[in-house]
Amino acid sequence: MEQALVADNARLQKRIEQSARVTQLADRAYDEQRGRCDWESIARDMDMPLIECLRLVDPSLSTVPVRSLPNIADWSADELLTLKSFVTENFSAVTVNEWRLVGVYMNVEHNDCFMAYGICTFPRITPDLYEAITQHRNNGLKWKDIFEKYPIFGSASVLCKAYRRFKKSNGSKPKATPTKWSDADTCKLKELIQMYYKPGNRRELLSQAQKAFPHRSKESILGKIKRITCKSSSITNDVMDRVNKLVDVYGKDWERIGHEIDGTARRAQRIWSRHQERQNATLAWTDDELGILRKCIRDGVGVTEASQLIGTKPPHMCSTKMLSLSNA
């Protein structure tokens, strides 16, 4: 027992010494012009993997000033390419702990790295990027020159089109507020749903509803149908348990399972996926995960992408929490 304690203490002391050594090397290797350290050289000096060196850094001992780059326009083209390359080469699925390591490597707040990587992976125009590009255009820069600053878009033409789409969608007049559904109209639509609704096929129902409500748009009718039918066909724990048992009996024969639950094959598969997500997900939300989710809301990141970047929460949990944070 005493030998094991001695061995543990020796390992702990060695790790503390390694941490202090890596932190000192990082302070010395800090390049003020680049705003970060040459971690590849530090890893060679320590003779250990790069990721392990990043884990050993002690922020409380470091004198390197961590940068804050909350807007995509704050990042240079080289930094964006370095960020994307580092994440792609070292992580298959990036969780909150890995984002901290990315932040250490880039010497940038890890939440800012998460935001920038999301835009690198799924290029889109954000409000701050729109303002920066507009300023470049006002200064006389051509699209090919602006593209050199933001190569994540793949080509100057793609960047130009994305910019114009953003300008059009944000510069258009606000849409008129749709007329609220009355109780009488809702009851009438429910009757049509009972008569014409078929899972996976709303064509006949939509046709009859458009005749009954000629003053309403197709989008308004479809939205109301979806809200009504979703309430009556929500995925409860009982439904998931039933599909789970049917999978044990029939395997992944989604057509047959869909028939057994009076639904479609696609619905059966979606219920099974939801069941698997709940089995694998962690329930509690950490402060870091909530921070990432708030950035997703601010930057317009979708539920699926947010789930992938957090790594520990399925899309439906992200969707519920994002709605809760938005209404808070």
Side-chain angles (χ1 to χ4, degrees):
M1 184 68 177
E2 292 182 359
Q3 291 179 345
L5 289 174
V6 170
D8 289 341
N9 289 334
R11 283 194 294 269
L12 179 60
Q13 184 61 35
K14 182 179 179 181
R15 189 166 184 84
I16 292 174
E17 293 173 355
Q18 287 178 330
S19 176
R21 173 65 175 157
V22 168
T23 305
Q24 289 174 358
L25 287 174
D27 290 347
R28 295 173 188 170
Y30 174 64
D31 186 337
E32 188 172 350
Q33 186 174 359
R34 295 174 65 203
R36 58 191 182 88
C37 307
D38 185 353
W39 281 104
E40 286 74 14
S41 296
I42 296 173
R44 287 194 295 270
D45 291 343
M46 292 294 297
D47 192 25
M48 62 174 55
L50 172 61
I51 300 300
E52 186 62 25
C53 285
L54 297 174
R55 289 197 178 100
L56 286 170
V57 174
D58 187 347
S60 65
L61 300 177
S62 177
T63 61
V64 175
V66 180
R67 297 179 295 167
S68 176
L69 305 176
N71 299 317
I72 191 64
D74 298 332
W75 292 72
S76 68
D78 289 340
E79 286 177 323
L80 289 172
L81 293 175
T82 300
L83 171 67
K84 186 174 183 180
S85 175
F86 175 73
V87 173
T88 303
E89 291 175 3
N90 291 280
F91 306 108
S92 55
V94 193
T95 60
V96 173
N97 289 331
E98 275 78 43
W99 280 119
R100 290 197 185 96
L101 300 182
V102 176
V104 173
Y105 180 81
M106 297 300 300
N107 191 36
V108 177
E109 294 286 350
H110 69 274
N111 282 342
D112 296 341
C113 293
F114 158 76
M115 175 277 301
Y117 181 75
I119 296 178
C120 285
T121 309
F122 305 95
R124 61 188 178 278
I125 300 293
T126 59
D128 63 282
L129 184 55
Y130 174 80
E131 293 296 332
I133 294 175
T134 300
Q135 187 63 45
H136 291 316
R137 293 290 293 168
N138 292 339
N139 292 337
L141 267 66
K142 296 182 179 180
W143 281 111
K144 65 178 183 179
D145 299 321
I146 299 175
F147 167 67
E148 292 179 359
K149 298 179 179 295
Y150 310 105
I152 57 175
F153 285 87
S155 70
S157 63
V158 172
L159 173 60
C160 177
K161 290 176 181 177
Y163 173 86
R164 288 173 178 169
R165 279 198 302 270
F166 183 90
K167 181 178 180 180
K168 182 178 180 181
S169 62
N170 287 270
S172 59
K173 296 180 180 179
K175 296 180 179 178
T177 304
T179 306
K180 186 177 179 180
W181 283 79
S182 65
D183 292 340
D185 285 351
T186 300
C187 290
K188 187 175 181 180
L189 183 60
K190 285 182 178 179
E191 293 175 359
L192 292 174
I193 289 174
Q194 291 178 348
M195 295 171 60
Y196 300 105
Y197 179 69
K198 295 179 182 178
N201 184 3
R202 297 174 179 165
R203 184 176 300 174
E204 180 63 21
L205 171 59
L206 178 60
S207 175
Q208 295 297 328
Q210 285 179 309
K211 293 177 183 178
F213 307 103
H215 60 289
R216 293 191 176 276
S217 66
K218 177 181 177 181
E219 290 74 18
S220 174
I221 295 173
L222 279 175
K224 188 65 174 178
I225 290 173
K226 186 175 181 181
R227 290 192 293 274
I228 293 173
T229 55
C230 282
K231 288 180 181 178
S232 61
S233 60
S234 58
I235 302 176
T236 63
N237 290 332
D238 291 339
V239 172
M240 284 193 287
D241 290 340
R242 186 183 177 194
V243 170
N244 189 36
K245 292 177 182 178
L246 289 171
V247 170
D248 291 338
V249 176
Y250 300 119
K252 294 184 179 181
D253 186 350
W254 303 120
E255 291 287 347
R256 185 163 185 176
I257 295 173
H259 179 72
E260 291 287 336
I261 63 172
D262 296 325
T264 63
R266 184 178 178 182
R267 174 171 166 77
Q269 191 171 7
R270 187 168 67 250
I271 294 172
W272 169 250
S273 298
R274 179 73 61 83
H275 173 75
Q276 294 299 103
E277 289 171 356
R278 290 194 177 182
Q279 292 290 99
N280 297 330
T282 57
L283 297 179
W285 286 86
T286 65
D287 291 339
D288 287 327
E289 289 171 342
L290 290 174
I292 290 176
L293 212 57
R294 289 189 178 96
K295 276 195 170 288
C296 288
I297 295 171
R298 190 191 72 182
D299 298 330
V301 176
V303 171
T304 302
E305 182 186 347
S307 173
Q308 292 172 350
L309 293 172
I310 290 175
T312 56
K313 298 292 186 292
H316 77 274
M317 288 185 68
C318 291
S319 175
T320 302
K321 183 58 73 172
M322 288 172 82
L323 182 61
S324 174
L325 293 174
S326 298
N327 295 332

